[in-house]
Amino acid sequence: MLEELDMAYELVMLPFPPRVHDRSYLNDNPLGTIPLMIDGHTRMTESVAICQYLCAQQGSTPLQVTADEDGFGAYLNYLHFGEATLTFPQTLVLRYAYFETPTRRQPSVAEDYTKWFLARLKTLDNVLSHDEYICANRFTAADISVGYALLLGCHLGLADRYTPAVSAYWQRLQNRNAYQRALAAQQKAAISQGVSDVPAPDVRPS
Ligand SMILES: N[C@@H](CCC(=O)N[C@@H](CS)C(=O)NCC(=O)O)C(=O)O
């Protein structure tokens, strides 16, 4: 979002999950979750709210859809669909396929919620088989929200189970210059701060 908006920022990387590997982070964010965005006195931990906040900081940006536009309802819906509906089943896959200790892993739970995630993704097909972006006929913060879930799906090894329309959409999102810059910024920050930019597979959040 920051790269798309061309806003200056400092990126601090943390070992994942910080609640286990960097407990001093709990002083900044008692939830222990990432992301945490700090802007002056403002502290925010909800990704979609951060996107909305950054849009508002810009005043006017095509990345948000305003109430007087046709796609306003779809924009709000998909903005929240990404974080609320798509990443929820993914967190169960992450936990029960990767983060739990081997004896507590639940392959059947992981597979059930994988299927659930993939079924929810299919609902995007109706739009993406004829539109390039998820709403308003242009790239918006809603694509960033849905795109994050597709990125996480890749880390979970699910990309080859995306439908052709979703795969093509995900490729379009990855081709964006801002996305490429964000990945490069993450890698540079990880190297200079001595933190891996890929979550360790065998840690266990409580
Ligand atoms: N609703 C939050 C979710 C934040 C969240 O749960 N982040 C996960 C990573 S995607 C996390 O930090 N988990 C580590 C933990 O719970 O200790 C958002 O909008 O970003």
Side-chain angles (χ1 to χ4, degrees), residues 14-15 22 26 30 49 60 67 73-75 122 145 180 182 187 199-200 202 205:
L14 293 161
D22 186 351
L26 297 176
S60 164
Y75 169 72
K122 276 188 206 141
S145 174
Q180 297 293 330
Q187 194 176 27
D202 133 74

Side-chain angles (χ1 to χ4, degrees), residues 16-20 31-35 45-48 83 91 94 148 152 205-206:
F16 192 82
R19 186 159 38 80
V20 175
L31 287 173
T33 54
I34 54 161
T45 55
E46 291 297 328
S47 306
V48 169
E83 191 59 36
T91 58
L94 258 180
Y148 174 73
L152 188 51
S206 59

